Amino acid sequence: MLPLLFSTFLLFSYVVPITNAVSDRSIFLLAGQSNMSGRGGIVNGTWDNYIPPESYPNLAILRLSADLNWQLATEPLHRDIDTTKACGIGPGMVFASSLLRKDSSIGVVGLVPCAVGGTNISEWARGGELYKGLIRRAQAALEGGGKIRGLLWFQGESDTVSRDDAEAYKTRLQSFFLHVRADLLLPVLPIIQVALASGEGQYVETVREAQLGMDFVNVQTVDAKGLSLEPDGLHLTTPSQVTLGKMLADTFLQSQLSSITSNVSRTFPYFLGLVHFLIVFICR
C-alpha cells in the first residue's frame, strides 16, 4: 500500500511540461501490445497495486503522458494509453531503472508509452492510427530536447491466431521497423524486440521463428520463452516483467558497447541502415 501511495503522491507532485523538459534526455519508445503495456499483477481484470522495488519511481525517469506532458514515471506506465483494459506492471520501468543503475552516463530517461493490448501487426502499419500515434508521440517527445535512443517492441500474440497472419509476420514487421526509422529520420535506430512467450492462437512458433530469424540492421531480440505467465496463460507475471526489463536493459547496453568497440559494427550497419532508410523515404 505504501509504494502505491508514494507513487500517487509523486505523480501529482512532479508534472513537467514538454517545454521545460531536460535537454539531454535519453528517450525510449515502448510499443506493441498488452505484454508491453503491462498485465503483471492483473487479477480478474483488476491490478493488485503491487509495485516491485525495481519499478519504484525515480526522479531521473520520466514518462510522456497521453496529453503529451512529461511527468515523473510511475506504474502502470500505460494507464492512459492502453485504456480498454486494466494495466499493471510492464517491462518499461525496470528497463529504465536498470539502465540508470548500470550506466550513470545515460542521464534522464524519458519513456514514451505507445503499446495497446490486443493489436495485430497489420494495425501498426504506416498510415494506421496506432502508427500515426507512435510517430506523433515520438516527435512530441523531442520538442523539449533529448535524443531517441531506442524502440522497445513486444508484440505478436494476436498474430498467432491466423496462419496467414503468422506467415506474413516477418515481412510486416520488417516494413514497420523500416517505416518508423524513415519517418523519424533515424536510419539505424536501435530496436530491441521480444520473442513471444505465449500467444492467442496455435501459430506461436511460426511467429517466434520470424522474430528469432530477424536479420536486420541494429535489431536485437530478447527471448521471453520460459518466463512465468499469469493464470490466463497469455500475460507475463510481475516477476517475469521484472526479469524481462533487466534483459532488455542488458541487451541495449551490450549493443551500445559493441557499436563503440567495433569499427565494423559502427560503419557497416550504418551503411545498410542508410540504404534501407533512403529506399523507404523516397518511396513513401
Side-chain angles (χ1 to χ4, degrees), residues 18-27 108 141-147:
I18 286 178
T19 54
N20 296 327
V22 180
S23 61
D24 63 348
R25 190 174 51 248
S26 293
I27 299 169
V108 173
L142 291 169
E143 289 183 11
K147 176 183 178 181

Coordinates of all heavy atoms in Angstrom, one line a residue, residues 18-27 108 141-147:
I18 N 6.4 19.8 -21.6 CA 7.4 19.5 -22.6 C 8.4 20.6 -22.7 O 9.6 20.4 -22.9 CB 6.8 19.1 -23.9 CG1 6.1 17.7 -23.9 CG2 7.8 19.1 -25.1 CD1 5.4 17.3 -25.1
T19 N 7.9 21.8 -22.7 CA 8.8 23.0 -22.9 C 9.9 23.1 -21.9 O 10.9 23.8 -22.1 CB 8.0 24.3 -23.0 OG1 7.2 24.4 -21.8 CG2 7.1 24.3 -24.2
N20 N 9.7 22.5 -20.7 CA 10.6 22.6 -19.6 C 11.4 21.3 -19.4 O 12.0 21.1 -18.4 CB 9.9 23.0 -18.3 CG 9.3 24.4 -18.4 OD1 9.8 25.3 -19.0 ND2 8.2 24.6 -17.7
A21 N 11.3 20.4 -20.3 CA 11.9 19.1 -20.2 C 13.4 19.2 -20.2 O 14.0 20.2 -20.7 CB 11.4 18.1 -21.2
V22 N 14.1 18.1 -19.8 CA 15.6 18.1 -19.8 C 16.1 17.9 -21.2 O 15.7 17.1 -22.0 CB 16.0 16.9 -18.9 CG1 17.6 16.9 -18.9 CG2 15.5 17.1 -17.5
S23 N 17.1 18.7 -21.6 CA 17.6 18.8 -22.9 C 18.4 17.5 -23.3 O 18.5 17.2 -24.5 CB 18.4 20.0 -23.2 OG 19.5 20.1 -22.3
D24 N 19.0 16.9 -22.3 CA 19.9 15.7 -22.6 C 19.2 14.4 -22.4 O 19.8 13.4 -22.1 CB 21.2 15.8 -21.9 CG 21.0 15.7 -20.3 OD1 19.8 15.9 -19.9 OD2 22.0 15.6 -19.6
R25 N 17.9 14.4 -22.4 CA 17.1 13.2 -22.1 C 17.3 12.1 -23.1 O 17.4 12.3 -24.3 CB 15.6 13.6 -22.1 CG 14.7 12.6 -21.5 CD 13.2 13.2 -21.4 NE 12.9 13.8 -22.7 CZ 12.7 15.1 -22.9 NH1 12.8 15.9 -21.9 NH2 12.3 15.5 -24.1
S26 N 17.4 10.9 -22.6 CA 17.5 9.7 -23.4 C 16.1 9.1 -23.5 O 15.5 8.7 -22.6 CB 18.4 8.6 -22.8 OG 19.8 9.1 -22.8
I27 N 15.6 9.1 -24.8 CA 14.2 8.8 -25.0 C 14.1 7.4 -25.5 O 14.8 7.0 -26.5 CB 13.5 9.8 -26.0 CG1 13.6 11.2 -25.4 CG2 12.1 9.4 -26.3 CD1 13.2 12.3 -26.4
V108 N 18.9 11.5 -17.8 CA 17.5 11.4 -17.5 C 16.9 10.5 -18.6 O 17.1 10.7 -19.8 CB 16.7 12.7 -17.5 CG1 15.2 12.5 -17.4 CG2 17.2 13.5 -16.3
A141 N 7.9 14.1 -28.1 CA 8.9 13.8 -27.0 C 10.2 14.6 -27.3 O 10.9 14.9 -26.3 CB 9.2 12.3 -26.9
L142 N 10.5 14.9 -28.5 CA 11.7 15.6 -28.9 C 11.6 17.1 -28.7 O 12.6 17.8 -28.8 CB 12.1 15.2 -30.3 CG 12.5 13.8 -30.6 CD1 12.6 13.5 -32.1 CD2 13.9 13.5 -29.9
E143 N 10.4 17.6 -28.6 CA 10.2 19.0 -28.6 C 11.0 19.7 -27.4 O 11.4 20.9 -27.6 CB 8.7 19.4 -28.5 CG 8.0 19.1 -29.8 CD 6.6 19.5 -29.8 OE1 6.2 20.2 -28.8 OE2 5.8 19.0 -30.7
G144 N 11.1 19.1 -26.3 CA 11.8 19.7 -25.2 C 13.3 19.3 -25.2 O 14.0 19.6 -24.2
G145 N 13.8 18.7 -26.3 CA 15.2 18.3 -26.3 C 15.4 16.9 -26.0 O 14.4 16.2 -25.6
G146 N 16.6 16.4 -26.2 CA 16.8 14.9 -26.0 C 17.0 14.2 -27.3 O 17.0 14.8 -28.4
K147 N 17.2 12.9 -27.1 CA 17.5 12.0 -28.3 C 16.8 10.7 -28.1 O 16.7 10.1 -27.1 CB 19.0 11.8 -28.4 CG 19.4 10.8 -29.5 CD 20.9 10.6 -29.5 CE 21.4 9.6 -30.6 NZ 22.8 9.3 -30.5

